[in-house]
Amino acid sequence: MPELPDVETLARSLHRRVRGQRIRGVRLLTPSTVRHPEPAPFRRRLQGRRITAVRRRGKYLFFELSGDLTLVVHLRMTGDFSLSAAEAPVHPHTRVILTLETADLRFTDLRRFGHMDLLTPDQRARFPGLRGLGIEPLDPAFTGPRFRIIIGTRRLGVKALLLRQDLIAGIGNLYADEILWQARLHPARATDTLSSQEVAVLHRAIRRVLTRAVRRLSRYRRPVGVFLDARERDGHCPRGHGPLRVARVAGRTTYFCPRCQR
Ligand SMILES: [Zn+2]
């Protein structure tokens, strides 16, 4: 499931490759992928727009378009974009095709949970998924003191905190586990028991893990992280502490090392 580093990498790559191009045609192979507006106005309003930028916010992908419209896409479980020659065979999981000037931009989605909304600035300001999003963890404004304010007097499991999109945007199940291993914190540890030293270590781990993943990720074929690699490889703690434990924490399947995560 795509998380901040995956969506960021995809946004950067699309920005490089499709910025400036005009949308010449719109094909909805699975119309239910589009939530707003109805298929006919969706096609009509997109047609002829120029893509001025592609960005990420939380786990959302934004296509900024001429005429002040934004195409907002959530990839959910299996959504992805690819650029293909117009004559290339259409993959069976293709849901939407935007014909650009030099290629087709195709949205594929095996599980069909991904969705798109074409929004005016007003609609975008009221868009439920975006309005309540928390701070971007890679934004310079996400400082140690700011993180301490976010934790505040909340009593939450520390993994639950990392997954709260209204507090910090973009972290999902996998990178939360990597971050907590890096910070040597047990995922169920209550936030109001963290020392200021532990909060500082956790803040640095969030920044480091996500920055490194964005730098190294070549799309979400494989997550990037020392802990995530070890989990895939042999299920042992990379610090040599033996087998990782798996438990349900914050409603999610969670891996951790019972020896170094306290
Ligand atoms: Zn360990």
Side-chain angles (χ1 to χ4, degrees):
M1 179 148 174
E3 300 186 25
L4 182 152
D6 317 299
V7 184
E8 178 69 26
T9 309
L10 180 58
R12 288 181 189 185
S13 141
L14 288 173
H15 183 78
R16 267 198 317 273
R17 295 156 77 197
V18 308
R19 180 182 37 158
Q21 291 210 43
R22 203 172 280 285
I23 300 170
R24 294 195 181 283
V26 180
R27 281 170 67 197
L28 301 181
L29 287 82
T30 307
S32 60
T33 300
V34 176
R35 298 195 308 187
H36 177 89
E38 295 295 316
F42 179 84
R43 272 198 302 268
R44 199 175 56 238
R45 283 176 211 169
L46 261 185
Q47 192 107 20
R49 303 278 172 190
R50 202 176 279 285
I51 299 172
T52 57
V54 185
R55 297 183 221 281
R56 177 196 61 80
R57 171 84 171 99
K59 298 178 196 170
Y60 286 92
L61 202 57
F62 283 68
F63 293 81
E64 309 280 3
L65 306 171
S66 57
D68 235 359
L69 286 181
T70 310
L71 178 65
V72 180
V73 182
H74 200 300
L75 305 170
R76 297 295 295 274
M77 308 280 286
T78 55
D80 197 7
F81 280 97
S82 62
L83 280 167
S84 321
E87 59 278 10
V90 173
H91 188 275
H93 302 138
T94 306
R95 309 299 172 200
V96 177
I97 300 178
L98 302 182
T99 305
L100 306 181
E101 291 166 59
T102 60
D104 274 359
L105 178 61
R106 297 179 180 177
F107 179 68
T108 54
D109 189 8
L110 168 67
R111 304 282 300 274
R112 299 177 187 230
F113 292 118
H115 49 75
M116 300 185 176
D117 293 83
L118 183 60
L119 306 174
T120 63
D122 264 11
Q123 290 166 334
R124 181 171 156 172
R126 292 194 311 264
F127 191 70
L130 294 174
R131 202 182 40 201
L133 274 183
I135 191 165
E136 285 291 335
L138 295 183
D139 192 306
F142 182 64
T143 58
R146 180 73 182 270
F147 184 48
R148 232 164 284 133
I149 292 167
I150 290 168
I151 294 180
T153 53
R154 281 193 175 85
R155 186 177 169 85
L156 272 177
V158 70
K159 178 157 180 178
L161 171 90
L162 295 181
L163 295 177
R164 282 270 299 264
Q165 300 300 302
D166 60 327
L167 299 178
I168 305 169
I171 302 173
N173 196 38
L174 287 181
Y175 285 100
D177 284 1
E178 175 76 29
I179 289 164
L180 291 170
W181 180 81
Q182 294 280 353
R184 297 176 184 251
L185 290 173
H186 190 287
R189 181 78 180 277
T191 48
D192 62 352
T193 67
L194 297 175
S195 68
S196 54
Q197 169 69 13
E198 286 172 322
V199 171
V201 168
L202 178 58
H203 173 256
R204 280 198 299 274
I206 294 170
R207 300 279 297 211
R208 196 176 53 236
V209 164
L210 297 176
T211 304
R212 206 174 281 171
V214 169
R215 201 181 305 137
R216 300 232 321 253
L217 200 70
S218 48
R219 308 286 303 280
Y220 51 87
R221 307 300 166 220
R222 223 165 72 94
V224 175
V226 178
F227 178 78
L228 294 173
D229 281 348
R231 202 197 77 176
E232 285 299 303
R233 192 175 51 238
D234 58 4
H236 280 58
C237 175
R239 297 187 182 110
H241 296 150
L244 298 174
R245 194 166 290 169
V246 57
R248 197 117 183 118
V249 180
R252 308 293 296 274
T253 303
T254 298
Y255 291 82
F256 65 99
C257 170
R259 283 189 54 202
C260 62
Q261 291 181 254
R262 302 279 168 171

